[in-house]
Amino acid sequence: MPGGPVELKFSPDGIEVFAIIDKSKAGGMPVVSEQVLLALEEVGAQDFSIDYSMIDKMIRAQSQPARTYPIARKVDGYAEVSISKDKMETTIIFSPPKGGRDVEMDTALAALAAAGVKYGIKQDALENMIAQRWYNEKVLVAEGKPAENGEDGRVEYLFNVEASTPRPTIAEDGSVDFYELNVVQNVRAGEPLAIKTPPTPGKDGINVFGETIPAKQGKDIPFPAGKNVEFSSENPNMLIAEIAGQPRLQQNRIHVLPVYEVQGDVDFSTGNINFVGDVIVTGGVLEGFTVKADANITIMGPVGGAYLDAGGSVFLNKGMHGQDKGSITAGEDVTAKFLEHVM
């Protein structure tokens, strides 16, 4: 302070403040730290970065020969950069100036460059921080772009791969037909069975350092082509039936079987049978039920008043009691041990 015991002097560049105690001006009283702080305020250096430990050292040494102590320094605002462990996010904190200049864009960009940040810098976030003087707040200012892993190939089946559950047909009037249980699946030659979606390659990412993050490629999946199926000539990622028959998924392969076999009787557990190939019944056919095949029908057990309709031949291992209502229609031969009262 002017005329006081604490004398201050600025460095030539105006950045540092030096102090010395002139005991001759202290009036025999010891100088205290409050006098030093008051002297800094009077020269406009109260906002500088003040070295309180150095002031304390000077106060304690005032009984010794006078010497000059650096007690304050002008400090510009600065930026501290932090980068996440995965190198995908960069945050920045602006520390306020102490007598120096505020943080400006060149300061922030220089700090990011020094940290190696090259990609995903959010210019608008930095501009807001600078314009609004956001000090001592952590702000996200750069983000990498994650890798997008490829999708694995997949196969969509166009038929029911599970065993069909018998379900009666319900008419529009609400009546229930227990003879039509819809257990047989049919396909014609050329009908689609499955479509394959190929794997995708994925897209590489990039971290805030500008380093490439390799994407994982999608895994391919074998196309499960089995017997009597082929690839579509129009779409190599589609399997179609080569023949008419029953589509089945067996041991992870698609097959089209030309024969539909009923293990046991055709009754209320199976419903009527309508198939585009051959039908073999290991049991018999109960009264009122229909067995229809585009090809041949073979029945090992007795047939009651049922309805048999074959595009090819009908083979009855035992015979048929038609009860004057059962019928046989065949495009070719009918072979049976006996036929009674068959229409």
Side-chain angles (χ1 to χ4, degrees), residues 3 35 65 100 124 191-192 206 208 264 328:
Q35 291 173 279
D124 56 344
E191 287 187 10
I206 185 170
V208 294
I328 297 176

Side-chain angles (χ1 to χ4, degrees), residues 169-177:
T169 299
I170 301 176
E172 292 183 0
D173 61 3
S175 60
V176 180
D177 187 346

Side-chain angles (χ1 to χ4, degrees), residues 80-321:
E80 292 183 86
V81 174
S82 298
I83 298 169
S84 61
K85 290 183 179 180
D86 62 3
K87 305 177 185 179
M88 295 300 288
E89 291 186 349
T90 301
T91 56
I92 201 167
I93 296 177
F94 287 171
S95 292
K98 294 182 178 180
R101 65 189 285 262
D102 284 305
V103 177
E104 301 295 345
M105 183 63 74
D106 58 346
T107 306
L109 293 178
L112 290 171
V117 177
K118 300 177 181 178
Y119 179 83
I121 296 175
K122 299 176 179 293
Q123 193 81 12
D124 56 344
L126 290 172
E127 290 173 353
N128 285 336
M129 291 181 72
I130 292 166
Q132 301 182 39
R133 303 301 180 200
W134 287 353
Y135 288 113
N136 300 318
E137 293 186 39
K138 183 181 287 188
V139 178
L140 180 67
V141 295
E143 280 188 294
K145 182 178 70 173
E148 296 180 23
N149 292 332
E151 295 185 1
D152 293 342
R154 61 185 186 277
V155 173
E156 178 187 358
Y157 297 99
L158 304 179
F159 63 96
N160 185 7
V161 298
E162 304 293 337
S164 298
T165 301
R167 55 187 187 279
T169 299
I170 301 176
E172 292 183 0
D173 61 3
S175 60
V176 180
D177 187 346
F178 289 97
Y179 287 86
E180 295 293 343
L181 301 185
N182 305 294
V183 296
V184 181
Q185 288 193 80
N186 288 299
V187 291
R188 302 280 180 183
E191 287 187 10
L193 300 170
I195 296 177
K196 177 182 177 181
T197 300
T200 58
K203 297 179 181 178
D204 290 343
I206 185 170
N207 63 28
V208 294
F209 293 135
E211 300 167 337
T212 298
I213 304 171
K216 293 182 180 180
Q217 309 300 304
K219 296 179 182 179
D220 200 0
I221 184 172
F223 218 160
K227 295 179 181 179
N228 302 318
V229 301
E230 59 185 357
F231 292 96
S232 168
S233 59
E234 299 177 357
N235 183 355
N237 289 312
M238 177 182 287
L239 282 180
I240 62 174
E242 193 173 23
I243 64 170
Q246 176 190 9
R248 292 287 299 274
L249 183 65
Q250 297 177 332
Q251 297 181 337
N252 294 322
R253 289 186 176 275
I254 299 173
H255 306 277
V256 176
L257 307 181
V259 177
Y260 185 86
E261 185 170 322
V262 178
Q263 294 290 333
D265 295 336
V266 174
D267 55 19
F268 287 107
S269 67
T270 65
N272 294 329
I273 304 299
N274 186 347
F275 186 58
V276 293
D278 289 337
V279 172
I280 297 176
V281 180
T282 62
V285 181
L286 273 62
E287 178 184 342
F289 286 91
T290 298
V291 177
K292 184 176 181 180
D294 286 6
N296 302 319
I297 296 174
T298 300
I299 300 174
M300 306 306 294
V303 180
Y307 310 96
L308 309 181
D309 185 350
S313 298
V314 175
F315 302 94
L316 303 181
N317 188 53
K318 290 190 175 180
M320 179 174 179
H321 292 282

Side-chain angles (χ1 to χ4, degrees), residues 36 40 48-57 70-73:
V36 180
L40 286 170
F48 283 24
S49 177
I50 300 173
D51 190 340
Y52 292 95
S53 65
M54 191 61 70
I55 292 175
D56 184 59
K57 184 177 180 181
I71 63 168
R73 182 178 183 84

Side-chain angles (χ1 to χ4, degrees), residues 1-2 4-8 19-22 31-32 35-36 39 58 71:
M1 64 182 66
V6 180
E7 295 182 0
L8 301 181
I20 188 170
I21 295 176
D22 185 350
V31 175
V32 295
Q35 291 173 279
V36 180
M58 182 177 67
I71 63 168

